[in-house]
Amino acid sequence: MKVLVIGGGAREHALCRSLSLDPDVNALYCAPGNAGISEVAELRPVDALDGDAVARLAVDLGADLVVVGPEAPLVAGVGDAVRAAGIPVFGPSADAARLEGSKAFAKDVMAAAGVPTARSYVCTTPEEVDAALDAFGAPYVVKDDGLAAGKGVVVTDDLAAARAHALACDRVVIEEFLDGPEVSLFAITDGVTVLPLQPAQDFKRALDGDEGPNTGGMGAYSPLPWADPKLVDEVMASVLQPTVDELRRRGTPFSGLLYAGLAITSRGVRVIEFNARFGDPETQVVLARLRTPLASVLLNAALGTLDTEPLLAWHDDAAVTVVIASHNYPETPRTGDPIDGLADVAAQDAPHAYVLHAGTRRDGDAVVSAGGRVLSVTATGSDLAQARERAYKAVARIRLDGSQHRTDIAAKAAEGR
């Protein structure tokens, strides 16, 4: 099988790493990729938002499967363009990707499907914003209706800050605050059959102790020793399958990766949001634990034959990812700084720990930073404590001027808290 992965972040590096280990994959390409992905896949230049350009590249390469990683190309209809060229695509249509592209659309789908979620208002005027903020009270949860790369959500006790964020958006969803821990659960679907993956938890705030601004994610871990063993079955029955069924009923079947961001509240599981693609950094830990070869599962989802796949098999090991971010992330991150220590991790920590590249590029013989989140250091172990120890040991080998990372990823879970 020849596979083309679209994107250039740590999520795509994790996908390419897993696909490169699959014996069914004899050619692997990534466009545009990054410095780390180049070690496991052949890179090709492309504008990932240009569906016609991606389709032409897939045809030229003779790809048997295209995997679209980021949300923006999916919402832009890149998957539709590739499918129109006759090539199977793992990723939803533009219509179905509105589940992520519009929070208001997602709320409408959940209401129709009977999926439990937070009560909310969709607001387009200052008067509607003020009424919604007053109705729910603090803490205020304000979400930009459109795509915002994981940074369009404000959760705050500060009414002025909540109002300012809302008024800066053309259309905004204001909803009740959901108490309880958050969980990410991915499912692979062909629009009918749904195969759940293992749950993970990510860390959105920039600083230790869940302080600081929201980010795209500063780390993750899996499994969740504190979670109810029946959680996956419950979410399958109450969230994932009903959502897939409702989208099919509407004539916009969802094929690809359905990501449910969940809050385990005092009143039960509630959906915080849906995404239409693998999440970052949760993908890094979930795929580290996946035993089933990935390519055939993604291809069967693209072909509508996922019912032929057996249940996914998993390693017993735990996995932890720690994100190394650039100076001043998530505001205006500094780029172009050289990254040292990558070879040390490969030589001294493999195979239990490895580095997945996010915002990197090659500058001659050097690898330099090229984005806000630069690296995802991922490690596995017999339990979370061992995985954490290995991940942070590898993080300590990386040298990037001005970089930042959280020191408490999975700490409470590893201690049984």
mmCIF file of all heavy atoms in Angstrom, residues 222-245:
data_model
loop_
_atom_site.group_PDB
_atom_site.id
_atom_site.type_symbol
_atom_site.label_atom_id
_atom_site.label_comp_id
_atom_site.label_asym_id
_atom_site.label_seq_id
_atom_site.Cartn_x
_atom_site.Cartn_y
_atom_site.Cartn_z
ATOM 1 N N SER A 222 -1.986 8.098 28.527
ATOM 2 C CA SER A 222 -2.956 7.016 28.384
ATOM 3 C C SER A 222 -2.285 5.742 28.897
ATOM 4 O O SER A 222 -1.067 5.588 28.717
ATOM 5 C CB SER A 222 -3.347 6.838 26.908
ATOM 6 O OG SER A 222 -4.283 5.796 26.740
ATOM 7 N N PRO A 223 -3.032 4.844 29.585
ATOM 8 C CA PRO A 223 -4.460 4.868 29.880
ATOM 9 C C PRO A 223 -4.771 5.780 31.070
ATOM 10 O O PRO A 223 -3.873 6.431 31.615
ATOM 11 C CB PRO A 223 -4.754 3.410 30.224
ATOM 12 C CG PRO A 223 -3.485 2.915 30.853
ATOM 13 C CD PRO A 223 -2.380 3.616 30.108
ATOM 14 N N LEU A 224 -6.055 5.799 31.442
ATOM 15 C CA LEU A 224 -6.521 6.611 32.560
ATOM 16 C C LEU A 224 -6.896 5.689 33.711
ATOM 17 O O LEU A 224 -8.009 5.159 33.753
ATOM 18 C CB LEU A 224 -7.740 7.442 32.148
ATOM 19 C CG LEU A 224 -7.637 8.204 30.815
ATOM 20 C CD1 LEU A 224 -8.908 9.000 30.557
ATOM 21 C CD2 LEU A 224 -6.409 9.107 30.797
ATOM 22 N N PRO A 225 -5.973 5.462 34.667
ATOM 23 C CA PRO A 225 -6.243 4.478 35.717
ATOM 24 C C PRO A 225 -7.423 4.843 36.609
ATOM 25 O O PRO A 225 -8.014 3.977 37.244
ATOM 26 C CB PRO A 225 -4.925 4.449 36.514
ATOM 27 C CG PRO A 225 -4.211 5.703 36.157
ATOM 28 C CD PRO A 225 -4.632 6.052 34.781
ATOM 29 N N TRP A 226 -7.795 6.124 36.641
ATOM 30 C CA TRP A 226 -8.876 6.582 37.500
ATOM 31 C C TRP A 226 -10.250 6.488 36.834
ATOM 32 O O TRP A 226 -11.278 6.662 37.494
ATOM 33 C CB TRP A 226 -8.625 8.034 37.917
ATOM 34 C CG TRP A 226 -8.299 8.931 36.764
ATOM 35 C CD1 TRP A 226 -7.052 9.256 36.304
ATOM 36 C CD2 TRP A 226 -9.226 9.594 35.902
ATOM 37 N NE1 TRP A 226 -7.136 10.089 35.208
ATOM 38 C CE2 TRP A 226 -8.465 10.313 34.951
ATOM 39 C CE3 TRP A 226 -10.615 9.664 35.850
ATOM 40 C CZ2 TRP A 226 -9.049 11.081 33.940
ATOM 41 C CZ3 TRP A 226 -11.211 10.439 34.857
ATOM 42 C CH2 TRP A 226 -10.435 11.122 33.919
ATOM 43 N N ALA A 227 -10.276 6.210 35.527
ATOM 44 C CA ALA A 227 -11.544 6.231 34.794
ATOM 45 C C ALA A 227 -12.329 4.932 35.006
ATOM 46 O O ALA A 227 -11.748 3.859 35.215
ATOM 47 C CB ALA A 227 -11.296 6.455 33.307
ATOM 48 N N ASP A 228 -13.642 5.030 34.921
ATOM 49 C CA ASP A 228 -14.519 3.863 35.002
ATOM 50 C C ASP A 228 -14.188 2.913 33.854
ATOM 51 O O ASP A 228 -14.100 3.341 32.705
ATOM 52 C CB ASP A 228 -15.981 4.331 34.894
ATOM 53 C CG ASP A 228 -16.984 3.217 35.165
ATOM 54 O OD1 ASP A 228 -16.699 2.046 34.829
ATOM 55 O OD2 ASP A 228 -18.070 3.520 35.699
ATOM 56 N N PRO A 229 -13.977 1.619 34.131
ATOM 57 C CA PRO A 229 -13.681 0.661 33.066
ATOM 58 C C PRO A 229 -14.771 0.599 31.989
ATOM 59 O O PRO A 229 -14.501 0.181 30.860
ATOM 60 C CB PRO A 229 -13.574 -0.684 33.807
ATOM 61 C CG PRO A 229 -13.273 -0.324 35.222
ATOM 62 C CD PRO A 229 -13.950 0.984 35.474
ATOM 63 N N LYS A 230 -15.976 1.027 32.340
ATOM 64 C CA LYS A 230 -17.084 0.996 31.377
ATOM 65 C C LYS A 230 -17.199 2.290 30.576
ATOM 66 O O LYS A 230 -18.148 2.456 29.802
ATOM 67 C CB LYS A 230 -18.404 0.744 32.123
ATOM 68 C CG LYS A 230 -18.464 -0.599 32.833
ATOM 69 C CD LYS A 230 -19.767 -0.752 33.601
ATOM 70 C CE LYS A 230 -19.807 -2.081 34.360
ATOM 71 N NZ LYS A 230 -21.039 -2.197 35.189
ATOM 72 N N LEU A 231 -16.241 3.215 30.754
ATOM 73 C CA LEU A 231 -16.346 4.529 30.122
ATOM 74 C C LEU A 231 -16.458 4.423 28.607
ATOM 75 O O LEU A 231 -17.320 5.073 27.989
ATOM 76 C CB LEU A 231 -15.136 5.389 30.497
ATOM 77 C CG LEU A 231 -15.071 6.760 29.814
ATOM 78 C CD1 LEU A 231 -16.229 7.637 30.240
ATOM 79 C CD2 LEU A 231 -13.736 7.448 30.114
ATOM 80 N N VAL A 232 -15.594 3.635 27.969
ATOM 81 C CA VAL A 232 -15.601 3.554 26.512
ATOM 82 C C VAL A 232 -16.943 3.028 26.011
ATOM 83 O O VAL A 232 -17.532 3.577 25.063
ATOM 84 C CB VAL A 232 -14.437 2.682 26.003
ATOM 85 C CG1 VAL A 232 -14.547 2.453 24.496
ATOM 86 C CG2 VAL A 232 -13.097 3.330 26.340
ATOM 87 N N ASP A 233 -17.449 1.978 26.643
ATOM 88 C CA ASP A 233 -18.743 1.424 26.231
ATOM 89 C C ASP A 233 -19.856 2.460 26.407
ATOM 90 O O ASP A 233 -20.753 2.577 25.553
ATOM 91 C CB ASP A 233 -19.067 0.166 27.039
ATOM 92 C CG ASP A 233 -18.164 -1.003 26.694
ATOM 93 O OD1 ASP A 233 -17.562 -0.974 25.596
ATOM 94 O OD2 ASP A 233 -18.057 -1.934 27.516
ATOM 95 N N GLU A 234 -19.808 3.197 27.505
ATOM 96 C CA GLU A 234 -20.836 4.209 27.761
ATOM 97 C C GLU A 234 -20.795 5.310 26.701
ATOM 98 O O GLU A 234 -21.840 5.730 26.178
ATOM 99 C CB GLU A 234 -20.639 4.810 29.151
ATOM 100 C CG GLU A 234 -21.639 5.906 29.484
ATOM 101 C CD GLU A 234 -21.355 6.601 30.802
ATOM 102 O OE1 GLU A 234 -20.565 6.072 31.607
ATOM 103 O OE2 GLU A 234 -21.926 7.684 31.016
ATOM 104 N N VAL A 235 -19.594 5.792 26.383
ATOM 105 C CA VAL A 235 -19.467 6.865 25.397
ATOM 106 C C VAL A 235 -19.831 6.364 24.002
ATOM 107 O O VAL A 235 -20.433 7.097 23.202
ATOM 108 C CB VAL A 235 -18.046 7.457 25.432
ATOM 109 C CG1 VAL A 235 -17.861 8.504 24.344
ATOM 110 C CG2 VAL A 235 -17.762 8.072 26.798
ATOM 111 N N MET A 236 -19.498 5.138 23.698
ATOM 112 C CA MET A 236 -19.916 4.552 22.421
ATOM 113 C C MET A 236 -21.436 4.594 22.285
ATOM 114 O O MET A 236 -21.985 4.986 21.250
ATOM 115 C CB MET A 236 -19.432 3.105 22.315
ATOM 116 C CG MET A 236 -18.073 2.940 21.710
ATOM 117 S SD MET A 236 -18.077 3.280 19.926
ATOM 118 C CE MET A 236 -19.066 1.879 19.344
ATOM 119 N N ALA A 237 -22.132 4.178 23.346
ATOM 120 C CA ALA A 237 -23.586 4.059 23.289
ATOM 121 C C ALA A 237 -24.295 5.403 23.341
ATOM 122 O O ALA A 237 -25.318 5.600 22.672
ATOM 123 C CB ALA A 237 -24.073 3.165 24.431
ATOM 124 N N SER A 238 -23.757 6.357 24.115
ATOM 125 C CA SER A 238 -24.485 7.610 24.330
ATOM 126 C C SER A 238 -23.997 8.765 23.466
ATOM 127 O O SER A 238 -24.710 9.762 23.302
ATOM 128 C CB SER A 238 -24.391 8.021 25.807
ATOM 129 O OG SER A 238 -23.053 8.343 26.163
ATOM 130 N N VAL A 239 -22.780 8.653 22.906
ATOM 131 C CA VAL A 239 -22.190 9.777 22.182
ATOM 132 C C VAL A 239 -21.781 9.422 20.761
ATOM 133 O O VAL A 239 -22.284 9.983 19.780
ATOM 134 C CB VAL A 239 -20.963 10.332 22.950
ATOM 135 C CG1 VAL A 239 -20.260 11.426 22.135
ATOM 136 C CG2 VAL A 239 -21.368 10.861 24.314
ATOM 137 N N LEU A 240 -20.845 8.476 20.619
ATOM 138 C CA LEU A 240 -20.213 8.248 19.320
ATOM 139 C C LEU A 240 -21.161 7.646 18.288
ATOM 140 O O LEU A 240 -21.327 8.188 17.184
ATOM 141 C CB LEU A 240 -18.970 7.366 19.498
ATOM 142 C CG LEU A 240 -17.864 7.967 20.374
ATOM 143 C CD1 LEU A 240 -16.783 6.946 20.670
ATOM 144 C CD2 LEU A 240 -17.262 9.209 19.713
ATOM 145 N N GLN A 241 -21.792 6.519 18.630
ATOM 146 C CA GLN A 241 -22.690 5.889 17.664
ATOM 147 C C GLN A 241 -23.900 6.772 17.329
ATOM 148 O O GLN A 241 -24.247 6.922 16.144
ATOM 149 C CB GLN A 241 -23.155 4.527 18.180
ATOM 150 C CG GLN A 241 -23.848 3.666 17.119
ATOM 151 C CD GLN A 241 -22.894 3.153 16.045
ATOM 152 O OE1 GLN A 241 -21.924 2.474 16.347
ATOM 153 N NE2 GLN A 241 -23.174 3.487 14.786
ATOM 154 N N PRO A 242 -24.557 7.412 18.321
ATOM 155 C CA PRO A 242 -25.672 8.290 17.974
ATOM 156 C C PRO A 242 -25.267 9.458 17.069
ATOM 157 O O PRO A 242 -26.030 9.864 16.186
ATOM 158 C CB PRO A 242 -26.157 8.796 19.337
ATOM 159 C CG PRO A 242 -25.742 7.765 20.308
ATOM 160 C CD PRO A 242 -24.436 7.238 19.791
ATOM 161 N N THR A 243 -24.071 10.008 17.268
ATOM 162 C CA THR A 243 -23.608 11.117 16.432
ATOM 163 C C THR A 243 -23.371 10.658 15.004
ATOM 164 O O THR A 243 -23.785 11.323 14.038
ATOM 165 C CB THR A 243 -22.320 11.726 17.021
ATOM 166 O OG1 THR A 243 -22.596 12.207 18.340
ATOM 167 C CG2 THR A 243 -21.813 12.869 16.163
ATOM 168 N N VAL A 244 -22.706 9.522 14.847
ATOM 169 C CA VAL A 244 -22.473 8.967 13.510
ATOM 170 C C VAL A 244 -23.801 8.652 12.827
ATOM 171 O O VAL A 244 -23.995 8.942 11.633
ATOM 172 C CB VAL A 244 -21.570 7.715 13.605
ATOM 173 C CG1 VAL A 244 -21.538 6.951 12.287
ATOM 174 C CG2 VAL A 244 -20.150 8.118 14.017
ATOM 175 N N ASP A 245 -24.739 8.088 13.567
ATOM 176 C CA ASP A 245 -26.048 7.751 12.988
ATOM 177 C C ASP A 245 -26.800 9.007 12.564
ATOM 178 O O ASP A 245 -27.454 9.029 11.511
ATOM 179 C CB ASP A 245 -26.887 6.951 13.995
ATOM 180 C CG ASP A 245 -26.320 5.560 14.266
ATOM 181 O OD1 ASP A 245 -25.464 5.101 13.480
ATOM 182 O OD2 ASP A 245 -26.735 4.945 15.272
#
